[in-house]
Amino acid sequence: MLRTRVVTALILLALVVPALAFLPANGWALFVLAFVAAAAWEWARLCGLPQALSLGYAALTAVAGMAILLGVREHEHAVTLWVYAISAITWGGIASWWFFRGPAAPRGGWLAALGWLVLIPCWWAVVQARMAGALFMFLLMGLIWVADIGAYFAGRRFGRHKLAPAVSPGKTWEGVAGAMVGAGLLALLCAATTSATGSPLDSWFAWIFGYAGRLGPPGVLVALLTVCVVVGLSILGDLFESLLKRRAGVKDSSALLPGHGGVLDRIDSLIPAMPLAMLIFSFVRSA
């Protein structure tokens, strides 16, 4: 299993690194859209749709992405804000529902429609993050990866209190604390070592901490709370996909990535977090 995971990871790196380094903006957008279409196919299968409809769902996802790509040239800022706002409202609704009613998800066609409301904004957020800079995108996605690593080790070492045992028995509140600590440390490090000047050394963190820093020392706390909100939403995304897999009776969303499961299994935390982070960035950059 370990050998399979390593081989798959190396193949993915061999695809992603050249694409990130050499593809133009639209080329990168189409490259990422291919992965999102694969995730859409997995989402449709978790909805219980038959194979033909699942393939059609993935194709429609790709068509919707290309339509956005071709249609935003004159209204890119407005379209971007709308796309991110739709994602934020959707995940805010899911969070509110879970808080008051407990973990649940719509079924069938409703769940399929929900997939478009969360997958397409994630794709657009990755595209926009890359336009802000390769380092910008890498560090922002790294926030979620570091949070996942912090949650894993803190949960294994200190985990006692279950976060959502009916959805994902392995996750604990101690793991959530570890995620927040790891993300906070990364945020402070990146804010101190990167810029918010429109240079290749830009980072999301430098923009957020620089803007919040106008408030003085309390601004650092505001910026850290912003980071925690983004990380908290990434945890919700992970839990939501776990719920869908548990309800479908599967361990992984698919076997597209040998040793790693499916595409959804790799991006579930990014799906809600990236659009929210880029919505915040759009606001800060405009301000």
Side-chain angles (χ1 to χ4, degrees):
M1 176 63 75
L2 178 60
R3 180 180 179 182
T4 303
R5 288 177 66 90
V6 171
V7 170
T8 301
L10 290 175
I11 293 173
L12 287 174
L13 283 174
L15 292 172
V16 172
V17 172
L20 183 60
F22 301 114
L23 284 179
N26 284 353
W28 172 254
L30 293 175
F31 177 80
V32 177
L33 185 59
F35 285 92
V36 172
W41 171 72
E42 295 171 348
W43 186 284
R45 293 173 73 243
L46 293 178
C47 292
L49 299 182
Q51 179 70 357
L53 287 180
S54 295
L55 291 172
Y57 183 86
L60 285 175
T61 303
V63 169
M66 287 186 285
I68 292 175
L69 193 61
L70 294 173
V72 300
R73 294 176 181 174
E74 297 181 1
H75 309 286
E76 181 173 341
H77 183 66
V79 170
T80 294
L81 291 180
W82 271 106
V83 168
Y84 295 159
I86 287 171
S87 174
I89 292 170
T90 300
W91 284 106
I94 292 172
S96 299
W97 177 274
W98 280 27
F99 182 80
F100 290 106
R101 303 290 296 272
R107 296 177 180 272
W110 287 106
L111 182 58
L114 182 66
W116 282 322
L117 297 181
V118 297
L119 289 174
I120 292 175
C122 178
W123 162 72
W124 190 242
V126 173
V127 171
Q128 291 289 297
R130 175 62 185 87
M131 292 179 67
L135 180 65
F136 182 101
M137 186 195 75
F138 179 78
L139 290 178
L140 180 53
M141 296 175 73
L143 172 68
I144 309 306
W145 300 331
V146 168
D148 285 344
I149 293 170
Y152 174 78
F153 284 105
R156 286 200 62 177
R157 177 64 179 84
F158 304 107
R160 297 291 185 274
H161 303 86
K162 300 297 183 182
L163 174 62
V167 177
S168 184
K171 291 181 173 58
T172 64
W173 283 105
E174 290 81 3
V176 172
M180 298 300 178
V181 170
L185 291 175
L186 176 67
L188 291 171
L189 176 63
C190 291
T193 58
T194 56
S195 65
T197 60
S199 76
L201 294 178
D202 270 12
S203 79
W204 183 83
F205 308 95
W207 281 91
I208 302 307
F209 277 80
Y211 182 78
R214 299 177 181 181
L215 299 175
V220 176
L221 179 59
V222 171
L224 285 173
L225 288 175
T226 302
V227 170
C228 288
V229 170
V230 172
V231 171
L233 206 57
S234 76
I235 295 171
L236 175 62
D238 190 348
L239 288 174
F240 192 78
E241 199 230 354
S242 295
L243 172 65
L244 297 185
K245 290 190 294 185
R246 180 171 289 269
R247 197 170 67 182
V250 296
K251 180 178 182 293
D252 299 317
S253 57
S254 79
L256 286 178
L257 303 177
H260 293 266
V263 176
L264 273 178
D265 296 321
R266 302 277 65 82
I267 68 170
D268 52 4
S269 298
L270 295 171
I271 291 173
M274 287 295 291
L276 177 62
M278 291 305 294
L279 176 63
I280 295 169
F281 173 66
S282 297
F283 170 79
V284 169
R285 185 173 57 179
S286 298

